[in-house]
Amino acid sequence: MIPNKIFSLLGLATRAGRVASGEFMTEKAVRDGSAQLVLVGSDASANTKKNFRNLCEFYRVPYYEYGTKEELGHAMGKEMRASLAVTDGGFANNLKKHLEETGSETEVAAWQK
């Protein structure tokens, strides 16, 4: 049930215009300080995961690996997405809470700003 909640929240955040998706836009959101949380598909390439993990560590943005690229894209009503950044604090906090409730080790690194 919780995974559905996570994807539902992603869909809501997307419709509210509070998500930057795709590698370029996600990286841009992290660098300009608008990203509150970064999600990378668990089936993304090792290089993509490493790049975002390092970027998020440097900019102190919570980073999670969750779902597949297809699931992330589907939740947003788009094609496959390897990465996305949630730019709204409320959505990010709610997603963080649900991601931590899943009990799986999806959180690779999360730092408080």
Side-chain angles (χ1 to χ4, degrees):
M1 178 154 163
I2 291 172
N4 295 339
K5 185 72 172 168
I6 291 167
F7 293 130
S8 296
L9 282 167
L10 280 177
L12 279 173
T14 302
R15 288 191 294 282
R18 302 289 188 247
V19 175
S21 68
E23 292 188 39
F24 178 77
M25 293 303 291
T26 302
E27 184 175 330
K28 184 176 181 290
V30 172
R31 290 185 189 279
D32 71 19
S34 62
Q36 302 293 310
L37 174 116
V38 170
L39 266 179
V40 174
S42 56
D43 61 344
S45 72
N47 191 40
T48 297
K49 291 177 185 178
K50 180 179 174 282
N51 287 342
F52 280 111
R53 196 168 31 248
N54 292 342
L55 188 68
C56 290
E57 182 176 3
F58 183 80
Y59 286 96
R60 298 286 198 233
V61 175
Y63 168 89
Y64 293 85
E65 290 175 13
Y66 185 79
T68 64
K69 295 186 289 190
E70 192 171 325
E71 288 171 334
L72 293 176
H74 183 73
M76 300 175 63
K78 300 181 186 295
E79 294 293 313
M80 293 195 312
R81 291 289 189 264
S83 62
L84 59 92
V86 178
T87 58
D88 179 83
F91 279 119
N93 289 335
N94 210 341
L95 278 164
K96 243 188 284 191
K97 184 181 79 175
H98 289 297
L99 284 162
E100 288 163 5
E101 282 175 15
T102 60
S104 60
E105 295 302 313
T106 54
E107 178 183 8
V108 174
W111 300 271
Q112 300 303 318
K113 280 190 169 182

